[in-house]
Amino acid sequence: MTHLVLVGGGHAHALALRGLALDSEPGLRITLVAPERHSPYSGMLPGHVAGLYSHEAMHIDLERLAEAARAEFVRARAIGFHGAEKRIALDTGENLSFDIASIDIGITPDRDAIAGAREHALAVKPIGSLMPKLEALFAEIRRADGPRRMLVIGGGAAGTCLAFALRRRLRREAPDGRIEVALATAEEITPEINATARFFLRRALRRAQITLHEHSPIARIDETGGHDEHGRHIAADAVLVASHARAPGVLAEGDLARTPDGFLAIEPDLRVGGQEAIFGVGDCATMGAHPRPKAGVFAVRQGPALRRNIRALVRGEALTPHIPQKDWLMLIADSEGRAVASRGSGFAFAGRLPWLVKDHIDRKFMALFDSANLTTRS
Ligand SMILES: Cc1cc2nc3c(=O)[nH]c(=O)nc-3n(C[C@H](O)[C@H](O)[C@H](O)COP(=O)(O)OP(=O)(O)OC[C@H]3O[C@@H](n4cnc5c(N)ncnc54)[C@H](O)[C@@H]3O)c2cc1C
């Protein structure tokens, strides 16, 4: 039996494991290691914050998925990756030996990138611990004298969607409905979308009465709000940081090849450089030959490619390269039933239709992991 160990229940692993559940590989024994039973789907997180989706709707049940793939689910956190010894150390004190391994453990917030962030701000990642922190904030906001001014730091897709979501949710939670939301970003808003889409997005932010501070890199956070590098002060009672992520420190524990900024250095066939039987996927890995931003769309596309290459390795066949797409559809929802769509340098669209498309894509993705859709073929 070949023992495959999947470390982390990110998007890429969830899809690869689903593929192995539907079409099992003879002679393959699988173990999935993840610290939590439920893995959040970030595309629906802002909708969940806004109150549009339930907790169940946006979480993949990894235990159920593992069961469908006849895999063992080990609830633990990996603390070391030892390629030469074919061993993964877990925080339970156990060591897992493997023939093939894959690592999909996401990214982690860099809490020290902004002075005072640890003491005075909430971090978006890890997503699993964000909701309890937000629930505590909502409870304070329900008080007549509770906080009313919110600052979101980070104008990428995640921070922007969250600013919209918080605006909707906080207005409902505050007894007087008087909520101010500001969004600060180091560059212009969502540099990854095209100029027309950015125009639509700025308009949507204005319509939602979210104050946008572009070219305002926040250097310090204190109890009064954020202070940017140019000396501007953005007053806030609560701050959420959706910027400054870094590679998980645990990737340095062991002997796997890493990029200068600490991510797993992977080849186009998704294997970690210099490793015959260890893959790296999702945000925790960087393909030096084809670098892309850290985004779920790439992790999702890697899932089926990873499954194919695992199968090829088991069968002693040649592995195939997976070159990430050069442009992709970005959908930024305003939590009010509209969204802005952007693809490449030319396509931009705003309104109800992109929201319906986004909602459809997200629900369809999550439906893949419903029990009814995990029935095995072999
Ligand atoms: C609010 C928000 C909205 C977003 N919206 C979009 C969007 O619309 N489109 C888009 O493309 N991207 C979006 N993103 C980015 C997207 O979330 C990530 O790119 C995507 O989740 C990466 O998936 P992944 O496979 O790397 O794993 P992740 O989803 O990051 O999951 C990693 C998993 O590994 C587990 N793990 C961590 N450490 C360990 C360990 N030591 N041992 C074992 N397991 C571990 C974690 O518990 C986690 O479940 C958004 C992000 C946020 C925060």
Side-chain angles (χ1 to χ4, degrees):
M1 277 287 208
T2 303
H3 186 202
L4 166 68
V5 176
L6 299 173
V7 182
H11 301 17
H13 274 180
L15 282 172
L17 193 53
R18 180 179 184 273
L20 291 165
L22 294 181
D23 189 5
S24 62
E25 181 63 27
L28 190 63
R29 174 167 80 87
I30 309 171
T31 302
L32 171 65
V33 179
E36 307 291 342
R37 174 175 176 173
H38 296 102
S39 179
Y41 173 50
S42 56
M44 288 169 102
L45 174 70
H48 176 56
V49 170
L52 303 174
Y53 302 121
S54 68
H55 178 272
E56 292 69 37
M58 61 150 295
H59 281 85
I60 299 170
D61 185 339
L62 295 176
E63 202 170 302
R64 185 170 67 198
L65 178 60
E67 198 182 320
R70 292 173 292 281
E72 187 187 351
F73 178 59
V74 174
R75 198 163 161 178
R77 192 172 279 280
I79 55 167
F81 302 97
H82 306 279
E85 297 166 30
K86 294 207 152 186
R87 165 176 79 83
I88 289 161
L90 304 182
D91 63 353
T92 53
E94 229 183 312
N95 276 286
L96 276 180
S97 299
F98 63 83
D99 301 299
I100 304 173
S102 179
I103 303 165
D104 179 19
I105 60 170
I107 44 175
T108 196
D110 186 353
R111 290 181 203 270
D112 298 316
I114 303 177
R118 273 182 193 275
E119 302 80 19
H120 301 289
L122 309 177
V124 171
K125 290 241 174 177
I127 292 177
S129 57
L130 175 64
M131 276 323 286
K133 290 185 247 167
L134 284 182
E135 292 295 347
L137 173 68
F138 300 157
E140 282 186 55
I141 280 174
R142 278 180 221 122
R143 291 199 333 252
D145 61 345
R148 290 291 179 269
R149 295 168 307 175
M150 180 88 207
L151 169 61
V152 178
I153 299 175
T160 307
C161 289
L162 279 169
F164 281 121
L166 283 167
R167 165 95 187 139
R168 179 184 167 118
R169 178 69 181 262
L170 301 186
R171 246 182 338 191
R172 233 182 31 226
E173 299 290 351
D176 53 8
R178 280 181 44 242
I179 286 292
E180 291 171 25
V181 176
L183 175 62
T185 186
E187 304 159 343
E188 55 185 355
I189 188 85
T190 48
E192 60 269 41
I193 63 176
N194 62 51
T196 313
R198 204 170 305 117
F199 167 81
F200 291 145
L201 192 57
R202 289 192 184 109
R203 192 178 63 183
L205 286 162
R206 274 197 303 277
R207 190 166 42 210
Q209 294 169 314
I210 293 171
T211 311
L212 176 61
H213 300 271
E214 292 180 282
H215 306 288
S216 185
I218 300 296
R220 184 164 60 84
I221 303 168
D222 60 22
E223 55 287 338
T224 69
H227 303 261
D228 79 8
E229 281 174 11
H230 313 297
R232 278 184 298 232
H233 175 232
I234 303 171
D237 308 311
V239 180
L240 179 73
V241 180
S243 60
H244 297 92
R246 60 172 175 78
V250 67
L251 295 176
E253 304 299 327
D255 55 6
L256 300 188
R258 292 179 306 134
T259 58
D261 52 358
F263 292 94
L264 289 174
I266 59 165
E267 302 294 335
D269 64 13
L270 304 178
R271 280 186 291 196
V272 176
Q275 298 292 333
E276 273 296 303
I278 305 181
F279 296 92
V281 283
D283 283 357
C284 72
T286 297
M287 194 181 289
H290 306 279
R292 296 289 185 274
K294 303 291 177 194
V297 288
F298 301 110
V300 165
R301 291 282 182 95
Q302 285 176 337
L306 172 67
R307 188 204 62 220
R308 267 196 311 277
N309 279 348
I310 288 172
R311 236 186 252 289
L313 207 56
V314 173
R315 296 175 185 177
E317 296 168 359
L319 275 62
T320 44
H322 168 76
I323 312 298
Q325 67 269 37
K326 281 211 177 88
D327 61 33
W328 58 96
L329 181 66
M330 295 269 310
L331 291 160
I332 301 177
D334 74 353
S335 288
E336 301 288 346
R338 289 177 299 266
V340 173
S342 170
R343 179 160 202 154
S345 57
F347 176 77
F349 195 84
R352 180 112 183 108
L353 186 63
W355 159 253
L356 293 173
V357 171
K358 176 168 169 51
D359 181 57
H360 175 73
I361 292 174
D362 288 343
R363 287 180 194 271
K364 204 168 130 197
F365 178 80
M366 287 306 296
L368 294 174
F369 304 99
D370 286 350
S371 303
N373 293 326
L374 290 173
T375 319
T376 49
R377 275 182 220 136
S378 56

